[in-house]
Amino acid sequence: MIPLTLAEIAQITGGELVDVDNPDTRVTGFVEFDSRKITPGGLFLALPGARVDGHDYARTATDGGAVVVLAARPVGVPAIVVKPAGRSDSNADIYAHDADGSAAAVVAALAALAHGVVTRLPELTVVGITGSAGKTSTKDLVASVLRQAGETVAPPGSFNNEIGHPYTALRCDADTRFLVAEMSARGIGHIAHLAESVPPHIGVVLNVGSAHLGEFGSRENIAQAKGELIESLPADGVAVLNADDPFVAAMAPRTRARVVTYSAMGRADLWAENIRLDDVARATFTLHAGAQQAAVTLQVFGEHQVSNALAAAAVGLEAGLSLNQVARGLSEHTNASAHRMDVQTRADGVTIINDAYNANPDSMKAGIAALAYTAAARRHARAIAVLGEMGELGPDAEESHRQLGEQLGRYRVDHLIVMGDNPNSRAMATEARNRGITTEIAHDVDEATHLVDTVLRTRPLEYGEPGNPGDVVLVKASNAVGLWRVAEQLIEKGQ
């Protein structure tokens, strides 16, 4: 964060200085909401939660080097206190136990502080990315491209909500040239709010799928929410839209910014041609931008990454990079966020695809396609899926899980291990069995690991010719299932 005095932060956030001896004291470190991560000169964000209240850790934070605490009440140490103004009507988890509005007040102050910082950085270009699937992968690709042109802030993982978005922005300082930010929503108006706190100049909309369908009610409502990003762009901004998604393509009239389109299936302002996949589903393709073209070889996995790479290419070109620089950034990029299409091959040849950070119908289909392709590219390799529930799908959840069973059959997956004995998991398992897939249900992580390990160790003789590549295992579910631990345990067993 840029250095600011306590008086300046109080003015920006509308807070009151309490137990502060010198208002001209500067915050020179990072903003943190985990007292264990505080560094000297930092600011501690006292957020109340379901199990712990950050206000109770104010003294720990200042003992660790925090200059001040941003809080909703006095905490006995130097603080900027913002008054609760009533409970938020948002459905975000942070507000679920916010009876008096303390969390809402602190989060609002955090957003105001982020806005105050980014608007003091005239050389900063903010890139906002939204979509039902692929936000984190695209954010990482964009960052790899833009880092060739200057200091870029884009933390690993999905810091994309009311807390993570401003928290990320406050990583920027006077040397930062680009901020690449994910923007997610659980309802209409959420992305507009994020864009107001950290105004983007370039906005990317990837797709409109069925993630969070239970909260939005329809894909039309999801499209309405995602389009808030490009509605927020200035007239001299750029809206990057996926021409392959009709919901996204239809957003063009909603922005005053210049529109740039991309396509992995046809022609657009940027498009891919001659797409080929290697034996672990890494894509090589020709990137076209008008009359120019360049070769790209991705090191991330899955054909769906071609579309993400095109979006990143559009951002890079609009940021002033040459096509060759963009192609080099895409080709040199490696997986940056944990549990996101993280592909590792064990010493025995078994390949583990760890994509267990999140799941929705679209990303599940992409993962299953990558699993099937990788196995098919190897002689006698088997495709093994370890899948858990997809969250936030609403009343159509059971049917969406049943359709995953259809998808597994369509791609001829050999084995399915389903995590959890619940209606959604049973719907997936039943349909998979009906499609002839050997299917088992695991009740916890250790049982799932054991079941997969048993399958791997009991390969039929015809699948075990010496020198052949091993089987391929996809591990995927919504993050709350914790299925990434299965992937980690399987990798450890191969060491």
Side-chain angles (χ1 to χ4, degrees):
M1 191 175 84
I2 60 175
L4 292 171
T5 67
L6 303 190
E8 288 174 317
I9 296 173
Q11 182 180 28
I12 291 170
T13 60
E16 177 187 358
L17 296 177
V18 176
D19 295 324
V20 171
D21 294 330
N22 183 4
D24 292 327
T25 300
R26 287 178 174 263
V27 171
T28 57
F30 292 123
V31 173
E32 295 290 355
F33 50 83
D34 185 337
S35 61
R36 296 167 297 183
K37 295 182 179 180
I38 282 290
T39 55
L43 180 152
F44 177 61
L45 197 68
L47 280 170
R51 292 185 296 273
V52 297
D53 187 340
H55 292 80
D56 298 334
Y57 294 84
R59 177 71 64 180
T60 302
T62 54
D63 288 346
V67 172
V68 72
V69 176
L70 185 57
R73 61 178 184 268
V75 286
V77 297
I80 298 171
V81 177
V82 290
K83 294 181 179 179
R87 183 168 182 165
S88 172
D89 59 0
S90 170
N91 60 355
D93 292 342
I94 185 64
Y95 305 127
H97 303 277
D98 188 28
D100 65 353
S102 293
V106 176
V107 171
L110 176 67
L113 181 57
H115 186 274
V117 167
V118 298
T119 53
R120 284 167 167 77
L121 297 171
E123 301 302 316
L124 177 69
T125 296
V126 178
V127 180
I129 301 171
T130 194
S132 296
K135 293 186 294 294
T136 300
S137 297
T138 305
K139 177 258 298 177
D140 293 339
L141 282 160
V142 170
S144 290
V145 171
L146 293 181
R147 285 192 179 105
Q148 299 175 95
E151 190 71 27
T152 300
V153 168
S158 298
F159 290 80
N160 57 22
N161 59 14
E162 297 90 338
I163 299 172
H165 186 59
Y167 173 86
T168 299
L170 290 170
R171 265 26 202 176
C172 297
D173 58 27
D175 296 324
T176 308
R177 178 88 181 275
F178 301 102
L179 166 63
V180 187
E182 289 186 50
M183 302 172 75
S184 69
R186 291 174 178 267
I188 303 295
H190 289 186
I191 289 178
H193 171 71
L194 296 180
E196 183 179 357
S197 64
V198 183
H201 187 78
I202 300 175
V204 183
V205 185
L206 302 173
N207 44 57
V208 174
S210 48
H212 303 298
L213 191 60
E215 293 161 326
F216 284 95
S218 70
R219 290 186 71 190
E220 286 77 12
N221 287 343
I222 296 173
Q224 180 63 34
K226 301 301 183 186
E228 292 170 3
L229 171 56
I230 62 169
E231 289 177 342
S232 74
L233 298 172
D236 63 346
V238 181
V240 178
L241 302 180
N242 181 2
D244 297 331
D245 187 314
F247 282 97
V248 176
M251 293 178 187
R254 295 173 58 182
T255 185
R256 54 183 173 161
R258 182 165 51 85
V259 173
V260 174
T261 60
Y262 66 91
S263 173
M265 300 190 299
R267 292 294 182 97
D269 294 321
L270 283 84
W271 74 95
E273 194 173 48
N274 301 323
I275 300 172
R276 300 180 302 278
L277 303 180
D278 68 6
D279 64 346
V280 286
R282 292 175 297 196
T284 297
F285 64 94
T286 302
L287 168 63
H288 291 269
Q292 295 182 295
Q293 64 181 54
V296 174
T297 299
L298 297 178
Q299 297 185 56
V300 288
F301 304 84
E303 188 172 6
H304 63 287
Q305 298 285 10
V306 174
S307 184
N308 296 338
L310 290 170
V315 173
L317 291 175
E318 293 302 325
L321 279 74
S322 70
L323 189 64
N324 286 335
Q325 285 178 305
V326 167
R328 181 168 61 248
L330 294 174
S331 298
E332 293 177 352
H333 169 75
T334 56
N335 190 60
S337 295
H339 317 312
R340 301 274 191 173
M341 289 301 284
D342 179 12
V343 181
Q344 297 190 42
T345 300
R346 307 190 321 189
D348 60 0
V350 172
T351 294
I352 311 296
I353 304 173
N354 179 2
D355 197 30
Y357 184 84
N358 214 341
N360 57 60
D362 298 315
S363 66
M364 275 286 201
K365 290 174 184 176
I368 292 168
L371 165 66
Y373 182 90
T374 305
R378 304 174 176 195
R379 189 182 178 194
H380 298 320
R382 294 175 296 172
I384 303 164
V386 187
L387 306 181
E389 272 192 290
M390 302 177 288
E392 301 166 340
L393 295 182
D396 294 329
E398 197 167 326
E399 173 60 18
S400 294
H401 285 81
R402 188 197 66 77
Q403 290 175 4
L404 281 185
E406 291 183 356
Q407 196 79 5
L408 292 162
R410 187 174 300 118
Y411 279 98
R412 299 184 179 179
V413 170
D414 297 283
H415 291 264
L416 170 65
I417 287 87
V418 178
M419 175 71 132
D421 189 6
N422 53 69
N424 291 335
S425 295
R426 287 195 295 271
M428 186 195 327
T430 299
E431 186 62 31
R433 288 192 183 105
N434 291 341
R435 301 272 171 166
I437 298 171
T438 303
T439 302
E440 297 177 90
I441 292 180
H443 296 85
D444 56 37
V445 166
D446 290 339
E447 185 180 3
T449 303
H450 172 73
L451 289 172
V452 179
D453 192 47
T454 299
V455 172
L456 293 173
R457 287 188 290 103
T458 56
R459 286 169 55 85
L461 183 61
E462 64 269 24
Y463 286 99
E465 296 179 11
N468 281 340
D471 295 331
V472 185
V473 182
L474 168 69
V475 181
K476 189 166 179 61
S478 286
N479 190 45
V481 179
L483 214 53
W484 52 268
R485 290 175 290 168
V486 173
E488 292 188 346
Q489 289 178 12
L490 289 172
I491 291 168
E492 289 175 3
K493 286 178 175 292
Q495 293 176 347

